[in-house]
PDB file of all heavy atoms in Angstrom:
ATOM      1  N   VAL A 262      91.167 -47.407  28.583  1.00  0.00           N
ATOM      2  CA  VAL A 262      90.974 -47.980  27.254  1.00  0.00           C
ATOM      3  C   VAL A 262      92.003 -47.401  26.281  1.00  0.00           C
ATOM      4  O   VAL A 262      92.348 -46.219  26.342  1.00  0.00           O
ATOM      5  CB  VAL A 262      89.527 -47.737  26.750  1.00  0.00           C
ATOM      6  CG1 VAL A 262      89.253 -46.265  26.456  1.00  0.00           C
ATOM      7  CG2 VAL A 262      89.244 -48.589  25.512  1.00  0.00           C
ATOM      8  N   ASP A 263      92.507 -48.257  25.394  1.00  0.00           N
ATOM      9  CA  ASP A 263      93.444 -47.835  24.356  1.00  0.00           C
ATOM     10  C   ASP A 263      92.623 -47.187  23.241  1.00  0.00           C
ATOM     11  O   ASP A 263      91.931 -47.868  22.480  1.00  0.00           O
ATOM     12  CB  ASP A 263      94.194 -49.079  23.859  1.00  0.00           C
ATOM     13  CG  ASP A 263      95.183 -48.762  22.746  1.00  0.00           C
ATOM     14  OD1 ASP A 263      95.005 -47.740  22.046  1.00  0.00           O
ATOM     15  OD2 ASP A 263      96.124 -49.553  22.575  1.00  0.00           O
ATOM     16  N   VAL A 264      92.681 -45.866  23.168  1.00  0.00           N
ATOM     17  CA  VAL A 264      91.795 -45.127  22.257  1.00  0.00           C
ATOM     18  C   VAL A 264      92.109 -45.461  20.796  1.00  0.00           C
ATOM     19  O   VAL A 264      91.196 -45.586  19.976  1.00  0.00           O
ATOM     20  CB  VAL A 264      91.875 -43.606  22.539  1.00  0.00           C
ATOM     21  CG1 VAL A 264      91.079 -42.819  21.517  1.00  0.00           C
ATOM     22  CG2 VAL A 264      91.350 -43.320  23.945  1.00  0.00           C
ATOM     23  N   ASP A 265      93.379 -45.635  20.454  1.00  0.00           N
ATOM     24  CA  ASP A 265      93.714 -45.988  19.066  1.00  0.00           C
ATOM     25  C   ASP A 265      93.040 -47.303  18.676  1.00  0.00           C
ATOM     26  O   ASP A 265      92.479 -47.427  17.582  1.00  0.00           O
ATOM     27  CB  ASP A 265      95.231 -46.152  18.890  1.00  0.00           C
ATOM     28  CG  ASP A 265      95.966 -44.825  18.993  1.00  0.00           C
ATOM     29  OD1 ASP A 265      95.325 -43.775  18.761  1.00  0.00           O
ATOM     30  OD2 ASP A 265      97.166 -44.841  19.317  1.00  0.00           O
ATOM     31  N   ALA A 266      93.111 -48.275  19.576  1.00  0.00           N
ATOM     32  CA  ALA A 266      92.504 -49.583  19.284  1.00  0.00           C
ATOM     33  C   ALA A 266      90.988 -49.445  19.171  1.00  0.00           C
ATOM     34  O   ALA A 266      90.356 -50.003  18.269  1.00  0.00           O
ATOM     35  CB  ALA A 266      92.875 -50.578  20.386  1.00  0.00           C
ATOM     36  N   LEU A 267      90.402 -48.679  20.080  1.00  0.00           N
ATOM     37  CA  LEU A 267      88.941 -48.490  20.057  1.00  0.00           C
ATOM     38  C   LEU A 267      88.508 -47.869  18.726  1.00  0.00           C
ATOM     39  O   LEU A 267      87.565 -48.346  18.083  1.00  0.00           O
ATOM     40  CB  LEU A 267      88.521 -47.591  21.226  1.00  0.00           C
ATOM     41  CG  LEU A 267      87.051 -47.174  21.216  1.00  0.00           C
ATOM     42  CD1 LEU A 267      86.146 -48.376  21.507  1.00  0.00           C
ATOM     43  CD2 LEU A 267      86.776 -46.073  22.239  1.00  0.00           C
ATOM     44  N   VAL A 268      89.220 -46.820  18.309  1.00  0.00           N
ATOM     45  CA  VAL A 268      88.839 -46.120  17.082  1.00  0.00           C
ATOM     46  C   VAL A 268      88.961 -47.061  15.877  1.00  0.00           C
ATOM     47  O   VAL A 268      88.083 -47.100  15.007  1.00  0.00           O
ATOM     48  CB  VAL A 268      89.696 -44.841  16.906  1.00  0.00           C
ATOM     49  CG1 VAL A 268      89.478 -44.219  15.531  1.00  0.00           C
ATOM     50  CG2 VAL A 268      89.351 -43.838  18.006  1.00  0.00           C
ATOM     51  N   ALA A 269      90.032 -47.856  15.837  1.00  0.00           N
ATOM     52  CA  ALA A 269      90.220 -48.779  14.714  1.00  0.00           C
ATOM     53  C   ALA A 269      89.091 -49.813  14.662  1.00  0.00           C
ATOM     54  O   ALA A 269      88.566 -50.137  13.589  1.00  0.00           O
ATOM     55  CB  ALA A 269      91.580 -49.475  14.835  1.00  0.00           C
ATOM     56  N   LEU A 270      88.688 -50.300  15.830  1.00  0.00           N
ATOM     57  CA  LEU A 270      87.640 -51.322  15.862  1.00  0.00           C
ATOM     58  C   LEU A 270      86.289 -50.721  15.473  1.00  0.00           C
ATOM     59  O   LEU A 270      85.520 -51.316  14.702  1.00  0.00           O
ATOM     60  CB  LEU A 270      87.553 -51.941  17.269  1.00  0.00           C
ATOM     61  CG  LEU A 270      88.745 -52.837  17.641  1.00  0.00           C
ATOM     62  CD1 LEU A 270      88.780 -53.094  19.147  1.00  0.00           C
ATOM     63  CD2 LEU A 270      88.677 -54.163  16.876  1.00  0.00           C
ATOM     64  N   VAL A 271      85.990 -49.537  16.006  1.00  0.00           N
ATOM     65  CA  VAL A 271      84.716 -48.893  15.676  1.00  0.00           C
ATOM     66  C   VAL A 271      84.669 -48.601  14.175  1.00  0.00           C
ATOM     67  O   VAL A 271      83.665 -48.840  13.507  1.00  0.00           O
ATOM     68  CB  VAL A 271      84.526 -47.600  16.507  1.00  0.00           C
ATOM     69  CG1 VAL A 271      83.374 -46.757  15.957  1.00  0.00           C
ATOM     70  CG2 VAL A 271      84.275 -47.939  17.974  1.00  0.00           C
ATOM     71  N   ASP A 272      85.780 -48.113  13.642  1.00  0.00           N
ATOM     72  CA  ASP A 272      85.834 -47.783  12.212  1.00  0.00           C
ATOM     73  C   ASP A 272      85.548 -49.024  11.362  1.00  0.00           C
ATOM     74  O   ASP A 272      84.817 -48.962  10.373  1.00  0.00           O
ATOM     75  CB  ASP A 272      87.215 -47.207  11.887  1.00  0.00           C
ATOM     76  CG  ASP A 272      87.282 -46.696  10.453  1.00  0.00           C
ATOM     77  OD1 ASP A 272      86.528 -45.754  10.144  1.00  0.00           O
ATOM     78  OD2 ASP A 272      88.058 -47.242   9.655  1.00  0.00           O
ATOM     79  N   PHE A 273      86.091 -50.157  11.774  1.00  0.00           N
ATOM     80  CA  PHE A 273      85.898 -51.396  11.018  1.00  0.00           C
ATOM     81  C   PHE A 273      84.405 -51.734  10.898  1.00  0.00           C
ATOM     82  O   PHE A 273      83.901 -52.027   9.820  1.00  0.00           O
ATOM     83  CB  PHE A 273      86.644 -52.543  11.722  1.00  0.00           C
ATOM     84  CG  PHE A 273      86.523 -53.874  11.034  1.00  0.00           C
ATOM     85  CD1 PHE A 273      87.466 -54.292  10.111  1.00  0.00           C
ATOM     86  CD2 PHE A 273      85.449 -54.719  11.317  1.00  0.00           C
ATOM     87  CE1 PHE A 273      87.352 -55.527   9.469  1.00  0.00           C
ATOM     88  CE2 PHE A 273      85.322 -55.961  10.678  1.00  0.00           C
ATOM     89  CZ  PHE A 273      86.281 -56.360   9.760  1.00  0.00           C
ATOM     90  N   PHE A 274      83.687 -51.657  12.022  1.00  0.00           N
ATOM     91  CA  PHE A 274      82.266 -52.045  12.003  1.00  0.00           C
ATOM     92  C   PHE A 274      81.374 -50.942  11.430  1.00  0.00           C
ATOM     93  O   PHE A 274      80.377 -51.232  10.766  1.00  0.00           O
ATOM     94  CB  PHE A 274      81.810 -52.462  13.399  1.00  0.00           C
ATOM     95  CG  PHE A 274      82.285 -53.837  13.756  1.00  0.00           C
ATOM     96  CD1 PHE A 274      83.462 -54.019  14.458  1.00  0.00           C
ATOM     97  CD2 PHE A 274      81.577 -54.961  13.345  1.00  0.00           C
ATOM     98  CE1 PHE A 274      83.925 -55.292  14.756  1.00  0.00           C
ATOM     99  CE2 PHE A 274      82.034 -56.241  13.643  1.00  0.00           C
ATOM    100  CZ  PHE A 274      83.216 -56.398  14.359  1.00  0.00           C
ATOM    101  N   ALA A 275      81.731 -49.687  11.684  1.00  0.00           N
ATOM    102  CA  ALA A 275      80.936 -48.583  11.120  1.00  0.00           C
ATOM    103  C   ALA A 275      81.029 -48.628   9.590  1.00  0.00           C
ATOM    104  O   ALA A 275      80.044 -48.368   8.890  1.00  0.00           O
ATOM    105  CB  ALA A 275      81.421 -47.252  11.673  1.00  0.00           C
TER     106      ALA A 275
END
Side-chain angles (χ1 to χ4, degrees):
V262 69
D263 179 336
V264 174
D265 290 337
L267 173 69
V268 171
L270 289 165
V271 167
D272 187 63
F273 180 93
F274 283 94

